[in-house]
Every structure is written in structure tokens, then in C-alpha cells.
Amino acid sequence: VAVIEPRRGTTAAYRPATHQLIAFAGTTGMADMNDVWTFDLAPGAPSWWPMLPSGAPPSPRHGQAVVWDPLRDRLIMTGGFYDYDFLNDVWALEMNPSPTWHQLQPAVRPAGRIAFGFGYDAVRDRLILVGGHSGYAGSGAFRIDAWQLPLSGPLALIWSQLEVLGPTPPPRWIFGMQYDRSRDRFLIAGGVTASGYSNEVWALNLGGVPSWTQIQPAPPLPPA
């Protein structure tokens, strides 16, 4: 059994076919990484194992985001921070016939960023990216823009910004984002805004014209 080096800013996605988490990158505090690890969730003792994909890998980084592409059995990664640069490249870690890195080349790209929301819209076979931090001075560093990247169809691999109706959440980073398929939406919770820590919950509704709705949970609320 291998031991993964302690780190922060790593990201992982679940691969149903093998009942594993696939984890990528992060920083040890001394250096950014670009390694890949699997965490076996099958019955028995959970264990870490290094994965050694072929192909030229993405640059080391932390604060990136990953999602699992279930139709193509692959990990998709974008964003992050490395060498004083906020990144917006997109990569696929293909699993078949063997793990291999491929850089995707989408037309147009959102601004580079870290600690943003990233998820897979299973109804429309697309990726959704929300918010994050771009490192510019002042409150303009915080973002709440929403982007889509279709994975199939005539607009495949073409980023476009979503026009989202409704009151808009304050721009933020380091928040949680989770897909709610039964209600055709993403939920975001918490994070850091220009005003400080947040414990708000918002829904990005995907049906029809996308819209934001603030969710008002019954108290007590978790701390911001």
C-alpha cells in the first residue's frame, strides 16, 4: 500500500466502474504537484495507489477542479494556480484502453481561476463552471460568472458564458457545488466573498432560461 504525500488544494472525482476516487495534484506547501492517485473504495481496507498515466501531463497546480465524465469514462480537469499564473487549460484523463492524458482545446476560455464550482450536467451532457478567484487586485478578484462547455453535439468543446436570470449571489470562491439531478439544478453553499465568509445557499436552475434562486434553510444555520 502506498502513502500519498500530505497536501491541500487537491481534487478528486468518483469513478463508478471501479469504485474508486481519482485524485489529482495539490500542493504540499513547498511544491505544487501533478500526480494522480486512486483511492480504492471496494469492500476491504481502503487504500491509496499511485496512477502513472501515459502522455504529457498537465502542469503542477493546486486549486483546480475535476469532474467525472460518465459517458466517456474519463476525468476532466481545468483551472488552478501554478507559478504565479491562474490557469484555464482543460485536460482529459482517458481511462481506456489505459490511463492517458490528453489536452482538450476548447474554443474561447473563461478567465483562469482557482477554487471554483465545476460539475457535470447529465441531462445536457455538458460541464458547468461557476465563480472562483482570478487573483486580480481588489474585490474584482471574486467571480460568480457561469459558463458551459458541451461535451457532444455541434457546440462540443466550445465554452460559452451563461446568461443567468434572477438576483445574483455575491461573487465568491472556496464554496461547495453539488448537482441535484432530480430538480435539474446545481446548489452552491458557503464560500468566501469580498465581505468575508458566507453560509448562504443558492440554486442555479438549469431548466429553460438559467436562473439563480436563493435557498432559505430553516435555522439553525451552520457557521459561515
Side-chain angles (χ1 to χ4, degrees), residues 3-79:
V3 177
I4 187 171
E5 191 172 6
R7 63 188 69 192
R8 62 176 173 84
T10 192
T11 44
Y14 175 63
R15 185 188 186 200
T18 55
H19 203 40
Q20 291 173 314
L21 291 178
I22 311 295
F24 171 70
T27 181
T28 66
M30 299 297 292
D32 284 339
M33 314 293 284
N34 66 347
D35 50 351
V36 182
W37 289 76
T38 67
F39 188 68
D40 189 358
L41 297 170
S47 55
W48 284 109
W49 294 98
M51 179 183 288
L52 302 174
S54 59
S59 61
R61 64 190 68 199
H62 68 276
Q64 70 288 333
V66 299
V67 299
W68 194 257
D69 176 0
L71 296 185
R72 286 153 284 263
D73 193 32
R74 63 183 181 176
L75 183 83
I76 297 182
M77 183 280 298
T78 189

Side-chain angles (χ1 to χ4, degrees), residues 199-201 214-224:
N199 62 359
E200 297 172 333
V201 181
Q214 186 170 5
I215 306 298
Q216 300 288 356
L221 301 181

Side-chain angles (χ1 to χ4, degrees), residues 88 90 104-111 147-149 157-161:
N88 63 0
V90 182
L104 305 181
Q105 301 288 355
V108 188
R109 290 183 184 180
W147 292 75
Q148 63 176 345
L149 182 66
L157 296 184
I158 299 176
W159 281 111
S160 61
Q161 188 169 355

Side-chain angles (χ1 to χ4, degrees), residues 146-148 160-166 204-205 208-212:
W147 292 75
Q148 63 176 345
S160 61
Q161 188 169 355
L162 292 175
E163 297 295 332
V164 185
L165 302 180
L204 175 59
N205 307 295
V209 179
S211 63
W212 285 111

